[in-house]
Amino acid sequence: MTNERASPPAGPDSAPGSRRPGGRTARTRAAVRDAVLTGLTEHGYPGLSVEYVAERSGVHKTTLYRRWGGLEGLVVDALDLAGEDSWKPPETGSLRDDLRALTRETAASFADPAAAAAPRAFIAAAFQSAKAADALHAFYAERFRRCESVVLRAVERGEIPRSTDAGALVRAATAPLFLRLFVTREPVDEALADQSADGALAAALAGVFTTQPKPQLQPEPQPQL
Amino acid sequence: MTNERASPPAGPDSAPGSRRPGGRTARTRAAVRDAVLTGLTEHGYPGLSVEYVAERSGVHKTTLYRRWGGLEGLVVDALDLAGEDSWKPPETGSLRDDLRALTRETAASFADPAAAAAPRAFIAAAFQSAKAADALHAFYAERFRRCESVVLRAVERGEIPRSTDAGALVRAATAPLFLRLFVTREPVDEALADQSADGALAAALAGVFTTQPKPQLQPEPQPQL
């Protein structure tokens, strides 16, 4: 569940001043994005500059300032572009296996230095730039929104209560991985991924993520499974 | 569960070149630590320098280099010192309430800008310095080690299986908060704290954190409660 280096989007190019979707403008945007990713990965946000992006991408500095406004705009657009991929959560047929596949994918992607470099750099940049933090928020809001389909399908199958907060459940499933990756700086592996997924599932089955009023406050019938 | 600005430790001063525990050396160390915290909070790791710490603390630059080696050493020692407080996890008499008190405390401390500034700065610095990352790892390893008493007491009371992995449980309880604070950049509140605690408890009761071999692979009697 990371931001892959996707190909330039085939759809309408939403960059400022865009023309000819998929054409020169999209190629420029992709080249600039790649330069930003490389810079963030190699030097971090503190070491990134518009000059670096210009040199690396071959796009003139004045163009970068005109179209992206500056460094923060470049980082934000790179993150926006990373979110324009076609990533979908797993669909195995059971909530347990979907959640395990999701957490395993998260663990594996951050264990791969090449795949992890960009998301790690964006998470770090968010500490230094409020705009990057906003873009990171939007990126993960969309990522987890896609993940909710895992929960909605489980509800349709009658595995968990209809009132389950899908967003809370998929966040809980992956949270122990992110905690170890970026706060406690501990290793993550497949066993931890499975444990995290199973823990969130157990919590969901116990009704921890149901959004209805608490039964003891306002009794109501249990949702139909 | 954050690193408070504790008073200088009364115990032996373990800083390089330390003499007279609690005396001038300890006061110097505390002054330097406060300067590092202020610098990290106001400027982040990229904006911190030995010159800044010298000016802010009133300790000469050559002393800082001699005793701390440089910027990374200063940050690491500030984090070590932050971990030398007397913080203990809550002790309410039930695992559910202990976990809720713990997650509420975590949420509240990060909601308070003054209390959150230092831990946030350390978590950010770990992205830029491998030594800071190691120190952060050690800090949280010790913090979560203290939290394990919550689980061990619950085991003694027979609330959860004896083979429960206490470290995994207390990490799971707080992980959804850290995910939102530092990755998805979403708000955390008391309701989320309670949900996170309850989710980890439900997982523990379901046996997700038990460390024994999986029953289907190697059947063995359930642990005595």
Side-chain angles (χ1 to χ4, degrees):
Chain A
M1 203 186 61
T2 55
N3 37 352
E4 303 152 20
R5 294 203 181 201
S7 311
D13 182 340
S14 62
S18 65
R19 303 159 301 177
R20 293 194 295 172
R24 190 164 64 85
T25 303
R27 284 199 303 275
T28 298
R29 188 181 177 207
V32 167
R33 188 270 310 260
D34 285 348
V36 171
L37 286 184
T38 305
L40 279 180
T41 302
E42 292 182 358
H43 307 290
Y45 187 76
L48 194 65
S49 66
V50 174
E51 287 71 19
Y52 174 95
V53 176
E55 182 158 334
R56 180 101 199 173
S57 67
V59 177
H60 200 276
K61 206 169 68 169
T62 54
T63 305
L64 296 179
Y65 276 109
R66 192 178 69 243
R67 287 192 50 192
W68 281 273
L71 192 58
E72 280 193 318
L74 285 164
V75 171
V76 167
D77 191 50
L79 194 40
D80 286 349
L81 193 51
E84 290 176 12
D85 63 2
S86 57
W87 182 86
K88 282 185 186 173
E91 190 168 351
T92 65
S94 82
L95 179 57
R96 175 178 171 277
D97 289 342
D98 276 359
L99 290 174
R100 282 187 167 206
L102 178 66
T103 55
R104 285 182 180 197
E105 183 182 334
T106 302
S109 67
F110 281 107
D112 172 3
R120 189 179 295 272
F122 284 124
I123 292 168
F127 284 93
Q128 266 116 32
S129 156
K131 286 181 183 170
D134 288 345
L136 187 71
H137 169 81
F139 174 84
Y140 275 111
E142 167 61 17
R143 270 296 185 272
F144 279 115
R145 196 194 56 72
R146 294 187 204 177
C147 292
E148 289 179 15
S149 64
V150 158
V151 180
L152 303 181
R153 286 195 301 265
V155 166
E156 291 307 312
R157 288 190 300 262
E159 288 190 61
I160 49 171
R162 188 161 293 277
S163 60
T164 300
D165 180 338
L169 170 48
V170 292
R171 281 166 177 75
T174 53
L177 302 174
F178 284 104
L179 168 70
R180 285 169 176 82
L181 287 163
F182 300 112
V183 180
T184 65
R185 303 274 170 176
E186 295 165 314
V188 302
D189 59 19
E190 201 165 88
L192 178 66
D194 288 352
Q195 185 189 67
S196 302
D198 293 356
L201 176 60
L205 292 173
V208 170
F209 302 117
T210 53
T211 50
Q212 73 215 15
K214 296 233 170 76
Q216 65 267 32
L217 299 175
Q218 190 177 319
E220 63 175 50
Q222 281 297 305
Q224 278 299 322
L225 305 185
Chain B
M1 203 188 59
T2 55
N3 38 349
E4 303 152 19
R5 295 202 178 199
S7 312
D13 181 341
S14 61
S18 64
R19 302 158 302 176
R20 294 193 297 169
R24 189 164 65 83
T25 303
R27 283 198 305 275
T28 298
R29 188 182 175 207
V32 168
R33 187 270 310 259
D34 285 348
V36 171
L37 287 185
T38 305
L40 280 179
T41 302
E42 292 183 357
H43 307 290
Y45 186 77
L48 194 66
S49 66
V50 175
E51 287 71 19
Y52 174 95
V53 176
E55 182 157 334
R56 180 99 199 173
S57 67
V59 176
H60 201 276
K61 206 169 69 167
T62 53
T63 305
L64 296 179
Y65 276 109
R66 192 178 70 243
R67 287 191 51 191
W68 281 273
L71 191 59
E72 280 194 318
L74 285 164
V75 171
V76 167
D77 192 49
L79 195 39
D80 286 349
L81 192 52
E84 289 175 14
D85 63 2
S86 57
W87 182 86
K88 282 186 186 174
E91 190 167 350
T92 65
S94 83
L95 180 56
R96 174 178 173 276
D97 288 342
D98 276 0
L99 290 174
R100 283 187 167 206
L102 179 65
T103 55
R104 285 182 180 195
E105 183 182 336
T106 302
S109 67
F110 281 107
D112 171 3
R120 189 179 295 271
F122 284 125
I123 292 168
F127 285 92
Q128 266 116 32
S129 156
K131 285 181 183 171
D134 288 344
L136 187 71
H137 169 81
F139 174 84
Y140 275 111
E142 167 61 16
R143 269 297 183 273
F144 278 115
R145 196 195 56 71
R146 294 187 203 177
C147 291
E148 289 179 16
S149 63
V150 158
V151 180
L152 303 181
R153 286 195 301 265
V155 166
E156 290 307 312
R157 288 190 299 262
E159 287 190 61
I160 49 171
R162 188 162 293 278
S163 60
T164 300
D165 180 339
L169 171 47
V170 292
R171 281 166 177 75
T174 53
L177 303 174
F178 284 104
L179 168 70
R180 285 170 176 82
L181 287 163
F182 300 113
V183 180
T184 65
R185 303 273 168 175
E186 296 165 314
V188 302
D189 58 19
E190 201 166 88
L192 178 68
D194 288 352
Q195 184 188 69
S196 302
D198 293 356
L201 176 61
L205 291 173
V208 170
F209 302 117
T210 54
T211 51
Q212 73 215 11
K214 296 235 170 73
Q216 67 268 31
L217 299 175
Q218 191 178 319
E220 63 174 48
Q222 281 298 303
Q224 277 299 320
L225 305 186

